[in-house]
Amino acid sequence: MADPAVSSQYDTVTSDAPSDVPNRLIVVSNQLPIIARRKTNDNGGSFWDFTWDESSIYMHIKDALPAAVEVFYVGTLRADVGPTEQDDVSKTLLDRFNCVAVFVPTSKWDQYYHCFCKQYLWPIFHYKVPASDVKSVPNSRDSWNAYVHVNKEFSQKVMEAVTNANNYVWIHDYHLMTLPTFLRRDFCRFKIGFFLHSPFPSSEVYKTLPMRNELLKGLLNADLIGFHTYDYARHFLTCCSRMFGLDHQLKRGYIFLEYNGRSIEIKIKASGIHVGRMESYLSQPDTRLQVQELKKRFEGKIVLLGVDDLDIFKGVNFKVLALEKLLKSHPSWQGRVVLVQILNPARARCQDVDEINAEIRTVCERINNELGSPGYQPVVLIDGPVSLSEKAAYYAIADMAIVTPLRDGMNLIPYEYVVSRQSVNDPNPNTPKKSMLVVSEFIGCSLSLTGAIRVNPWDELETAEALYDALMASDDHKETAHMKQYQYIISHDVANWARSFFQDLEQACIDHSRKRCMNLGFGLDTRVVLFDEKFSKLDTDVLENAYSMAQNRAILLDYDGTVTPSISKSPTEAVISMINKLCNDPKNMVFIVSGRSRENLGSWFGACEKLAIAAEHGYFIRWAGDQEWETCARENNVGWMEMAEPVMNLYTETTDGSYIEKKETAMVWHYEDADKDLGLEQAKELLDHLENVLANEPVEVKRGQYIVEVKPQGVTKGIVAEKIFAFMAEKGKQADFVLSVGDDRSDEDMFVAIGDGIKKGRITNNNSVFTCVVGEKPSAAEYFLDETKDVSMMLEKLGCLSNQG
């Protein structure tokens, strides 16, 4: 397959390989859903044999999507393939399975996977912060560099699978959190979804990561970010708010983050299992035989089943101790209850895993010695790999499943257990199905299991009592709980999850074709910004030429962040001189349009006699220094302030760092110095509170960047712009040149009004209209300048042109 090429920063990806498929979904995961086995042929030689891994949820994505969507996979193989074999293996996987293999050298893999992912990132995502002893923390810098390197290798392999701009990329899990950044850097129009299968920790835990910004920005380079539960999504949104000041919004049931002009959708959807696969295992003759053998082996016993990986967060040691407490508290169950604990091999190598393994074995041996008897062991520990069909057999004969991890992203064991209990072949097919579940409240699937008993796995007594309650539950209760859970599981299977995510990904990427994408930043700071097609950097040569040709110019300037970079300083002598140069040109009408009070603006620009000023967003207007202030409202009724001020005071007292700014006609509650998360929540509540209190008053309540403002209705910078154009038309000097510069949300009204002025014919020369925002960011303006100093330089040049004339 030919490598795609990017023809320019804004163009689409092209490829030499034609594609008849309207859409291609490229599923990217740390490991391919492929099982690789080394086999020996008749001649004694060896060869690789590949089959789909049906236990992988990624493998079932391809079966859930429409036939028009071609699914490709990118990932590593769970096999040691030598360098001389890699080309042949790659070709086989591509031709037979639509898989693109990523080969990582062993030394780099150890640093990337075993060190950074499993010993550093994964524990933090499960709320285990590294100890203060540096010896207990892996070499995070070396392993971080390996993580970045491997993610970059993945991006190159993804590019090999891309055919055109209609392709979608769905990235999975914490192993590949910087991959979206590398993809955006290669091609900014990539349509990217990311699903995190692990928990996302609270902001206090996440912020302990030295590379927290790079990882979070990596996720924000996706168009759709998926989580299993609302808790995980909420923690992610809190991190975005606290670290980057990003706010989220709810729109018709969906959550969106606004970031650089892009609406990033946050999806909450738990993954499911392939129900048909589990059902098929129970219908196989080998599995049926295993079921019969297990029934004989545990005849007369009540079987409790645990299936867990060997790691520190599965809580197997706590589970076994809870069983011990149950048997000691209720001795009548001794000799009758057996816990069969299947312990899957560890996925990572580290000291913590060795220690928990030793502890589990020690506890199990002690309990069996103390509470066991000839022919009876309370705990049956099954160590090592167990096939899926064998697990299905254990599920089928178990009276109860105990799934009590201390923290887990999703955990599909309860789903597999319930489906297996439904599919088991009983002598009487009309026999109602029964199952019982005791699950940890700290796993993703617990909220969906409404018939399960939820426990705090750290509380051994609570877990023991939950086991007792489950044992004592009536058959009717077990049947009802089972059927309720089974109906949910079959309607929320892996196909439902995959289809739902892909449909939302398509919807989340609609703006890709309607707006212009631009890459900003370098390296891991790369980010994509969406702009209107016409948005570009202001060409000052074009501006100066249009300025020289014009006869009636309107110049509208914001103050804070535009004319001056600081919101706490009065204008410098240089700014005053610059403004006066522009004002002294009889062809110019120059306006400062600001949210500042008329008292401040009037005193600061007292030396600019010909300058027009609009204060408090245009409520007060003065057309020249020797004229009186006008108001845009019929009456200056601010009686509502007596109602609003006590409300704002209440939130100021309960939000450290916040304060109130009181103007003549407006009140502003500022929270930029408060705790970002608390300030945001208080701002939302204050907005609702003020809207209710002031519902019958002629004011509007708005949220801005770190503010909640109450101001008179119908007062915007857009109204000021309309007045200026109307005033110039009345004087017979209809504007043939317009320059408007601002930097924040309030200036957007001014830019929109200027666009409307063009449509209404109040501006005579469409080619001499320049709306400009400070900073390269999404805006209704058509142009941008990088900084306030660029604005000053531009205005200075225009002033010089006026003096030359």
Side-chain angles (χ1 to χ4, degrees):
M1 181 177 299
D3 288 345
V6 183
S7 56
S8 80
Q9 195 175 17
Y10 313 117
D11 294 339
T12 60
V13 169
T14 60
S15 174
D16 294 334
S19 176
D20 297 326
V21 181
N23 285 325
R24 172 177 288 187
L25 174 64
I26 302 168
V27 178
V28 191
S29 57
N30 180 52
Q31 293 182 331
L32 291 170
I34 295 290
I35 297 174
R37 297 184 181 92
R38 175 80 76 174
K39 291 189 175 182
T40 304
N41 57 29
D42 295 337
N43 297 325
S46 64
F47 66 96
W48 285 106
D49 178 68
F50 302 107
T51 57
W52 285 111
D53 180 4
E54 295 195 0
S55 67
S56 171
I57 63 170
Y58 309 139
M59 174 254 176
H60 298 291
I61 290 175
K62 63 183 177 61
D63 301 323
L65 302 183
V69 180
E70 185 181 33
V71 178
F72 264 65
Y73 293 92
V74 176
T76 64
L77 270 177
R78 285 168 286 181
D80 186 12
V81 180
T84 60
E85 302 174 292
Q86 290 176 5
D87 287 345
D88 290 339
V89 168
S90 295
K91 187 177 187 308
T92 300
L93 291 173
L94 184 60
D95 293 342
R96 291 178 49 197
F97 299 94
N98 276 7
C99 289
V100 179
V102 181
F103 297 105
V104 181
T106 302
S107 59
K108 190 70 69 175
W109 177 265
D110 287 341
Q111 285 287 323
Y112 153 73
Y113 183 76
H114 293 292
C115 193
F116 188 79
C117 289
K118 282 301 181 181
Q119 294 185 47
Y120 194 69
L121 193 59
W122 185 75
I124 288 178
F125 272 47
H126 288 74
Y127 288 74
K128 186 177 185 292
V129 179
S132 58
D133 181 8
V134 295
K135 294 180 181 179
S136 66
V137 180
N139 190 335
S140 58
R141 185 51 54 187
D142 289 346
S143 60
W144 164 243
N145 290 336
Y147 181 88
V148 172
H149 174 83
V150 173
N151 274 243
K152 187 176 180 180
E153 291 290 316
F154 267 81
S155 72
Q156 294 172 359
K157 291 298 182 179
V158 170
M159 293 298 291
E160 292 182 15
V162 173
T163 57
N164 56 58
N166 288 326
N167 293 174
Y168 294 83
V169 181
W170 185 359
I171 304 168
H172 292 270
D173 226 1
Y174 61 92
H175 313 88
L176 301 169
M177 291 178 67
T178 60
L179 178 55
T181 297
F182 286 113
L183 293 177
R184 291 292 186 204
R185 191 181 67 178
D186 291 337
F187 175 51
C188 58
R189 285 190 183 274
F190 261 125
K191 301 175 179 179
I192 302 174
F194 187 99
F195 197 94
L196 186 68
H197 293 270
S198 76
F200 196 97
S202 66
S203 60
E204 290 77 10
V205 175
Y206 179 82
K207 286 165 67 176
T208 62
L209 283 165
M211 58 293 298
R212 60 191 187 183
N213 285 358
E214 292 87 342
L215 292 172
L216 199 59
K217 287 179 180 178
L219 295 187
L220 291 172
N221 270 321
D223 298 290
L224 173 65
I225 307 172
F227 301 91
H228 285 301
T229 72
Y230 173 69
D231 275 349
Y232 305 159
R234 177 169 54 86
H235 292 159
F236 169 76
L237 293 170
T238 300
C239 283
C240 292
S241 171
R242 287 177 175 269
M243 293 172 58
F244 300 146
L246 302 182
D247 193 6
H248 66 273
Q249 297 178 342
L250 289 173
K251 299 177 183 177
R252 296 185 178 181
Y254 290 90
I255 304 173
F256 291 91
L257 267 177
E258 295 299 325
Y259 182 61
N260 290 325
R262 298 166 49 235
S263 289
I264 304 170
E265 183 179 335
I266 308 302
K267 183 173 183 62
I268 302 166
K269 180 78 172 179
S271 62
I273 65 170
H274 194 290
V275 175
R277 178 177 62 88
M278 289 304 304
E279 291 174 339
S280 69
Y281 288 133
L282 272 301
S283 64
Q284 294 174 2
D286 289 347
T287 308
R288 291 183 184 180
L289 181 61
Q290 287 178 319
V291 169
Q292 296 306 317
E293 291 175 350
L294 290 173
K295 285 183 176 181
K296 290 180 181 178
R297 178 181 173 185
F298 296 104
E299 187 175 4
K301 303 293 189 297
I302 297 175
V303 178
L304 317 184
L305 179 65
V307 180
D308 300 277
D309 293 340
L310 178 58
D311 72 49
I312 58 176
F313 296 109
K314 297 304 181 183
V316 176
N317 49 338
F318 288 92
K319 182 194 305 185
V320 176
L321 291 173
L323 175 73
E324 178 185 31
K325 194 170 291 292
L326 166 72
L327 296 178
K328 288 184 175 180
S329 301
H330 305 278
S332 61
W333 292 107
Q334 292 181 23
R336 300 166 58 195
V337 170
V338 175
L339 170 62
V340 177
Q341 178 62 54
I342 297 175
L343 206 57
N344 298 322
R347 299 187 186 184
R349 305 187 303 265
C350 62
Q351 183 179 349
D352 287 343
V353 171
D354 294 337
E355 291 175 354
I356 199 68
N357 187 25
E359 180 181 341
I360 292 171
R361 296 177 187 284
T362 299
V363 172
C364 290
E365 184 177 353
R366 177 178 57 77
I367 293 174
N368 285 337
N369 289 336
E370 291 182 6
L371 302 177
S373 59
Y376 169 69
Q377 283 188 326
V379 183
V380 176
L381 191 62
I382 301 175
D383 189 10
V386 177
S387 68
L388 289 173
S389 60
E390 190 176 354
K391 282 182 184 176
Y394 276 103
Y395 289 143
I397 63 101
D399 299 279
M400 181 195 313
I402 312 172
V403 187
T404 54
L406 307 178
R407 184 79 59 177
D408 213 347
M410 181 60 186
N411 202 309
L412 297 173
I413 299 299
Y415 290 10
E416 293 179 349
Y417 166 70
V418 171
V419 171
S420 297
R421 291 290 288 176
Q422 178 69 23
S423 304
V424 66
N425 291 312
D426 290 326
N428 182 358
N430 296 320
T431 303
K433 308 298 183 181
K434 297 181 293 184
S435 65
M436 279 302 295
L437 279 166
V438 174
V439 300
S440 165
E441 62 186 81
F442 301 111
I443 60 177
C445 67
S446 67
L447 293 177
S448 65
L449 300 169
T450 55
I453 301 177
R454 300 187 187 94
V455 297
N456 176 359
W458 275 279
D459 190 336
E460 298 166 19
L461 179 60
E462 179 186 342
T463 305
E465 289 305 310
L467 295 178
Y468 178 76
D469 291 341
L471 290 170
M472 297 298 294
S474 66
D475 286 346
D476 286 344
H477 177 82
K478 293 176 182 178
E479 292 166 10
T480 301
H482 169 82
M483 189 50 60
K484 183 185 298 185
Q485 288 161 168
Y486 178 71
Q487 292 297 332
Y488 174 87
I489 293 166
I490 61 174
S491 62
H492 293 76
D493 61 356
V494 64
N496 173 271
W497 168 73
R499 280 194 300 269
S500 177
F501 190 93
F502 184 70
Q503 289 167 1
D504 281 1
L505 180 57
E506 287 183 302
Q507 185 66 31
C509 297
I510 285 179
D511 278 346
H512 284 242
S513 59
R514 294 203 292 240
K515 292 189 176 182
R516 181 165 60 84
C517 296
M518 181 182 292
N519 275 338
L520 298 179
F522 299 94
L524 292 177
D525 193 42
T526 298
R527 59 200 183 279
V528 170
V529 184
L530 289 188
F531 299 107
D532 187 87
E533 286 291 340
K534 297 180 180 180
F535 190 76
S536 61
K537 191 166 186 176
L538 181 62
D539 188 330
T540 55
D541 291 338
V542 174
L543 174 73
E544 291 169 17
N545 183 60
Y547 183 87
S548 299
M549 300 288 291
Q551 298 299 312
N552 299 303
R553 310 182 189 108
I555 301 174
L556 290 69
L557 305 172
D558 175 45
Y559 178 71
D560 294 309
T562 302
V563 173
T564 178
S566 174
I567 63 172
S568 60
K569 293 182 179 180
S570 58
T572 62
E573 291 183 5
V575 170
I576 296 296
S577 174
M578 176 183 68
I579 295 294
N580 273 329
K581 287 180 183 178
L582 294 171
C583 291
N584 290 334
D585 189 330
K587 297 179 181 179
N588 292 345
M589 172 167 282
V590 184
F591 248 94
I592 291 291
V593 186
S594 171
R596 290 273 189 175
S597 68
R598 61 175 172 173
E599 180 181 0
N600 283 341
L601 295 173
S603 62
W604 288 349
F605 291 99
C608 303
E609 296 180 358
K610 297 180 181 179
L611 175 68
I613 298 175
E616 297 193 21
H617 300 295
Y619 189 92
F620 298 108
I621 295 178
R622 189 177 70 182
W623 296 93
D626 59 353
Q627 296 187 20
E628 296 296 322
W629 290 95
E630 300 176 3
T631 61
C632 69
R634 296 179 180 176
E635 58 182 74
N636 187 6
N637 181 7
V638 293
W640 57 266
M641 287 189 176
E642 296 181 2
M643 304 165 63
E645 190 168 10
V647 177
M648 285 192 175
N649 281 332
L650 174 64
Y651 287 84
T652 303
E653 291 172 5
T654 56
T655 312
D656 290 341
S658 65
Y659 64 95
I660 300 172
E661 178 188 5
K662 191 172 183 180
K663 305 176 185 179
E664 287 187 68
T665 63
M667 290 186 69
V668 186
W669 186 73
H670 296 263
Y671 64 94
E672 65 265 27
D673 296 327
D675 176 274
K676 296 298 184 293
D677 196 39
L678 175 62
L680 179 61
E681 294 302 319
Q682 292 285 69
K684 293 176 181 177
E685 183 67 24
L686 175 59
L687 181 73
D688 290 339
H689 198 158
L690 287 171
E691 285 180 339
N692 288 329
V693 170
L694 304 174
N696 298 321
E697 300 297 319
V699 295
E700 57 183 343
V701 187
K702 286 190 173 183
R703 272 183 55 207
Q705 187 170 9
Y706 300 123
I707 65 166
V708 175
E709 183 174 22
V710 186
K711 63 179 182 179
Q713 288 177 346
V715 177
T716 68
K717 292 185 179 182
I719 300 297
V720 175
E722 292 176 3
K723 285 181 176 289
I724 293 171
F725 300 138
F727 177 81
M728 294 180 70
E730 289 174 5
K731 297 293 184 180
K733 295 183 177 182
Q734 194 168 7
D736 59 358
F737 173 93
V738 177
L739 171 64
S740 177
V741 191
D743 77 307
D744 63 19
R745 293 180 182 178
S746 64
D747 300 311
E748 296 298 311
D749 295 328
M750 187 164 56
F751 300 148
V752 172
I754 291 171
D756 292 340
I758 295 174
K759 296 176 183 177
K760 294 176 181 177
R762 292 179 176 176
I763 300 170
T764 60
N765 189 348
N766 296 355
N767 296 323
S768 295
V769 175
F770 302 88
T771 53
C772 181
V773 66
V774 181
E776 195 172 9
K777 55 194 175 187
S779 172
E782 291 192 9
Y783 305 98
F784 70 91
L785 287 171
D786 293 324
E787 300 176 280
T788 54
K789 66 179 182 181
D790 298 320
V791 177
S792 298
M793 291 173 60
M794 173 193 68
L795 295 176
E796 188 67 38
K797 288 182 179 180
L798 296 183
C800 292
L801 288 176
S802 288
N803 287 344
Q804 291 173 7

